Amino acid sequence: MTPTNNKFVLDWINEMAEMTQPDQIVWIDGSEEQAEALRAEACSTGEMIKLNQEKLPGCYLHRTAVNDVARVEGRTFICTSKKEDAGNINNWMDPAECKAKLTKLYTGSMKGRTMYVIPYSMSVVGSPFAKYGIELTDSIYVVLNMLIMTRVGNDVLDALGESADYIKGLHARADIDEENRYIVHFPEENTIWSVNSGYGGNVLLGKKCFALRIASFLGRKEGWMAEHMLILGVEYPDGETKYVCAAFPSACGKTNLAMLIPPEYYSKQGYKVWCVGDDIAWLRVGEDGRLWAVNPENGFFGVAPGTNLNSNPNALYTTMKDTIFTNVVHNTADNTVWWEGLDKNPPAEAIDWRGNPWDYRTYDKARKLETSGAHPNSRFTAKAINCPCISKEFSNPAGVPISAIVFGGRRAKTAPLVYQSTSWQNGAFVGSIMASETTAAAAGAVGVVRRDPMAMRPFVGYDMGDYWAHWLKMGTTIPHAPKIFHVNWFRTDAEGNFIWPGFGDNMRVLMWILARCEGKVDADITPIGYVPKAEDICIEGLEDVTLDTIKELLTVDKESWLEDVENIKAFYAQVGDRVPQTMYDELAALEARLKA
Ligand code: OXD
Ligand code: MN
């Protein structure tokens, strides 16, 4: 007995099973009993390790293959029938050619294994935002992660009914062969194929593959937006809450901002910050003419290293139960976990992310990847409902109304602490020129500018120029559109030290942003947009920040902006001939203002 009679679903599963040839097919029903049996099975084969249940109830540890620790942009493809529809920024393969190639890899890959069928919903089942998917996988680790990250169960199949409108995802671990690893999307067929990986971002198909790449494609067709954005709410002492979406490139602190703890100056007055989402927002125009957002996910797939009681206590508390840790240090003395930046007490008896005995005294910052105990991209998969600051609107099927959209990047000099665009159109332009500079933490040269429009460079499921056109078009359909801002927490002084304290103090910038949305505070117009008057950024309670520091953080250096303009021109040329003329007009106007 299958839990659905949906012919489209059953025929597709049969077809995929004929190709992959699993020994058996198991439907995942979302029940705790089934999940518990799968955890036990994964522990019996060594796929997962059950951690100390007194200290970390419901928590497990998993290690991926050493060659399989991150998303692989070079092996990620958008397979539209016409190459130009995928655009110049994406990798493209002809759909038929791609299927033929991957069919060879999938054929017989599940022999001796089980195929799990995971019916899941992105966002609350039945909500106007909800989209359904089915992932087929031969990995229990994937099943258990999907149970945390999405809403899984038979109610999804009931909501789908007889419809063919769902996203078909096929994942096979195969040989975890790097050379034959593929993460491919067929947006015209609502299909995702992933093979030869077991790492989250490549195999939890609801996340980047569906909720960003396929969803962005659908959003363009259907008049909504899928964005790489956190969603947070700022509650005022009178109980009113204002919501903000923010897009930063990977590794710029989205999870930290989403779970921000207000500085004492604000918390004493009764301000609170609530997390709705830390990575993805789906946005639709509401009947009231405002833009409404949901977080389509149900959990957090966060980076562990650097998470601690100072940087993000809320994230740390979230991971203390029901969490799957991936590639962190195993403290074998008390069967718990550890990672670099958790605290200053690395375990004396430990196994590193590779599965080898680890002596913390061999750690060398200059050879971080070789000597760290936890992989720099090690992760926690944790339930959103376990987050102490989760918003009470988290599961509201209507979403939350958005007052401001905030873009940001890591720039040592160019971007000021914060500025406001002059219109939706100008704000979309600000998003299109977003960039981040590489840090010493990543391999390769330091300080190289990588343009990452709307933080979506690796996640737009179609041509980047068309994506910008969609942003511009959306602006014409939102009567009460959010105001658009840009922030930069990462300006440095002559010695390369960060000037702005960041973390919880970023609330001070959010408060200026919200005051602007309410028309409650003035600003200075500059060639790039509106910049705060220094005295309007609250520095009450900050030790090392003076009015002069804020003035320095807010300067707009025309020379470095003009250099950036040249870099933007080169990037627009790379995006190609679908860059909307409006973006070129905005760029020319910016250049003229800078030169005036
Ligand atoms: C993520 C990413 O894992 O953006 O969220 O890479
Ligand atoms: Mn992300």
Side-chain angles (χ1 to χ4, degrees):
M1 264 281 281
T2 55
T4 178
N5 294 320
N6 183 315
K7 193 174 145 17
F8 301 106
V9 170
L10 297 179
D11 286 353
W12 168 67
I13 294 175
N14 279 339
E15 197 189 327
M16 296 301 105
E18 264 167 35
M19 174 167 71
T20 54
Q21 301 164 30
D23 280 12
Q24 56 166 345
I25 297 177
V26 170
W27 290 73
I28 300 302
D29 59 16
S31 71
E32 182 49 32
E33 299 72 53
Q34 189 184 42
E36 191 51 34
L38 288 171
R39 287 179 202 119
E41 188 179 337
C43 290
S44 75
T45 61
E47 187 178 350
M48 297 215 306
I49 296 166
K50 191 172 192 167
L51 295 166
N52 183 326
Q53 296 297 297
E54 264 158 41
K55 293 188 173 167
L56 295 168
C59 293
Y60 292 81
L61 170 65
H62 170 81
R63 292 187 203 105
T64 63
V66 173
N67 75 13
D68 188 28
V69 291
R71 286 187 291 104
V72 279
E73 287 177 22
R75 309 206 64 95
T76 300
F77 291 81
I78 301 294
C79 301
T80 42
S81 38
K82 289 200 218 112
K83 182 176 189 319
E84 54 272 31
D85 289 341
N88 295 340
I89 301 298
N90 284 314
N91 301 313
W92 176 84
M93 241 191 289
D94 172 74
E97 211 176 284
C98 178
K99 277 187 195 154
K101 192 181 190 115
L102 268 63
T103 294
K104 289 204 189 104
L105 302 173
Y106 279 122
T107 299
S109 66
M110 293 191 191
K111 265 189 199 154
R113 303 175 65 86
T114 300
M115 175 193 269
Y116 300 96
V117 180
I118 314 170
Y120 67 97
S121 175
M122 298 314 290
S123 130
V124 178
V125 177
S127 105
F129 287 86
K131 294 267 175 202
Y132 307 124
I134 298 181
E135 176 163 354
L136 309 178
T137 179
D138 57 353
S139 158
I140 296 182
Y141 171 75
V142 168
V143 173
L144 295 172
N145 274 272
M146 286 293 284
L147 284 167
I148 297 173
M149 293 304 296
T150 70
R151 293 165 169 93
V152 175
N154 290 342
D155 54 341
V156 174
L157 295 170
D158 295 343
L160 184 63
E162 297 301 310
S163 166
D165 187 14
Y166 69 98
I167 307 302
K168 307 188 244 320
L170 174 64
H171 165 246
R173 285 172 50 85
D175 305 314
I176 311 288
D177 170 7
E178 257 178 304
E179 301 302 317
N180 281 306
R181 185 166 299 152
Y182 289 96
I183 320 300
V184 306
H185 308 70
F186 305 96
E188 292 150 350
E189 299 169 47
N190 282 342
T191 296
I192 305 160
W193 278 10
S194 163
V195 67
N196 274 311
S197 176
Y199 167 76
N202 300 326
V203 299
L204 307 180
L205 301 184
K207 194 174 179 64
K208 303 298 187 183
C209 299
F210 176 173
L212 288 176
R213 297 193 190 99
I214 298 284
S216 62
F217 184 93
L218 294 175
R220 175 173 178 237
K221 216 165 56 176
E222 298 167 3
W224 55 280
M225 304 164 90
E227 299 296 333
H228 192 198
M229 289 177 177
L230 66 89
I231 311 166
L232 65 79
V234 176
E235 183 181 326
Y236 288 69
D238 66 4
E240 198 188 357
T241 304
K242 299 276 182 207
Y243 295 93
V244 174
C245 281
F248 305 143
S250 305
C252 284
K254 282 214 314 295
T255 305
N256 291 348
L257 185 64
M259 298 180 188
L260 172 154
I261 304 236
E264 202 178 60
Y265 172 76
Y266 289 103
S267 56
K268 270 195 172 154
Q269 295 173 62
Y271 286 93
K272 295 184 179 119
V273 172
W274 301 106
C275 173
V276 182
D278 79 326
D279 196 40
I280 298 176
W282 284 1
L283 302 133
R284 284 178 181 269
V285 187
E287 277 168 20
D288 62 359
R290 291 187 291 175
L291 193 63
W292 290 70
V294 293
N295 168 12
E297 301 192 277
N298 205 24
F300 307 117
F301 183 63
V303 175
T307 305
N308 59 49
L309 276 178
N310 289 322
S311 66
N312 195 338
N314 283 319
L316 198 61
Y317 291 133
T318 310
T319 65
M320 286 181 177
K321 61 177 182 182
D322 311 329
T323 295
I324 300 172
F325 295 97
T326 302
N327 292 343
V328 298
V329 176
H330 188 195
N331 178 346
T332 44
D334 71 350
N335 194 20
T336 57
V337 290
W338 190 84
W339 50 79
E340 279 72 17
L342 172 63
D343 54 36
K344 296 208 158 45
N345 307 310
E349 287 174 39
I351 307 277
D352 68 12
W353 68 272
R354 292 183 165 89
N356 298 325
W358 181 66
D359 180 346
Y360 67 88
R361 289 165 301 188
T362 59
Y363 178 72
D364 172 2
K365 211 172 173 187
R367 291 171 49 246
K368 205 169 167 181
L369 189 59
E370 295 87 346
T371 62
S372 65
H375 187 276
N377 191 37
S378 54
R379 299 276 175 155
F380 54 81
T381 317
K383 290 182 180 175
I385 50 160
N386 286 346
C387 178
C389 63
I390 197 72
S391 164
K392 65 179 183 344
E393 305 299 333
F394 170 69
S395 289
N396 186 336
V400 293
I402 300 303
S403 299
I405 289 175
V406 181
F407 293 124
R410 192 182 273 275
R411 303 301 301 264
K413 294 276 169 285
T414 320
L417 179 62
V418 56
Y419 68 101
Q420 183 188 357
S421 64
T422 52
S423 63
W424 176 278
Q425 174 177 310
N426 176 249
F429 166 72
V430 169
S432 81
I433 67 169
M434 254 175 75
S436 234
E437 283 152 24
T438 50
T439 65
V446 176
V448 175
V449 175
R450 168 176 147 114
R451 303 235 81 94
D452 190 351
M454 287 85 171
M456 284 286 280
R457 185 181 178 129
F459 305 122
V460 179
Y462 57 101
D463 178 89
M464 184 63 77
D466 286 344
Y467 167 69
W468 294 343
H470 180 53
W471 260 84
L472 293 169
K473 190 167 163 213
M474 282 301 298
T476 65
T477 68
I478 319 168
H480 308 295
K483 303 276 185 281
I484 302 180
F485 298 79
H486 187 284
V487 298
N488 175 25
W489 317 132
F490 303 97
R491 257 203 189 180
T492 50
D493 61 19
E495 281 82 49
N497 304 309
F498 294 123
I499 307 172
W500 178 246
F503 297 104
D505 289 312
N506 292 334
M507 169 113 179
R508 298 166 189 275
V509 175
L510 289 180
M511 295 314 292
W512 180 81
I513 286 174
L514 289 171
R516 282 296 289 171
C517 294
E518 306 268 294
K520 285 188 178 152
V521 64
D522 229 351
D524 290 329
I525 187 75
T526 73
I528 61 168
Y530 297 108
V531 169
K533 293 180 182 299
E535 56 277 15
D536 289 332
I537 299 290
C538 169
I539 53 172
E540 201 86 25
L542 273 179
E543 268 172 27
D544 299 326
V545 178
T546 63
L547 195 61
D548 283 339
T549 321
I550 300 293
K551 282 185 183 151
E552 186 187 345
L553 284 165
L554 293 174
T555 51
V556 177
D557 175 38
K558 290 189 185 174
E559 283 311 307
S560 60
W561 271 93
L562 282 167
E563 254 175 57
D564 216 38
V565 164
E566 293 311 311
N567 187 288
I568 296 164
K569 284 180 189 165
F571 180 61
Y572 275 17
Q574 191 192 343
V575 172
D577 52 15
R578 295 197 189 178
V579 174
Q581 183 57 39
T582 306
M583 293 303 191
Y584 277 113
D585 295 346
E586 284 283 345
L587 182 57
L590 170 66
E591 186 172 12
R593 289 193 300 270
L594 288 164
K595 285 183 171 163

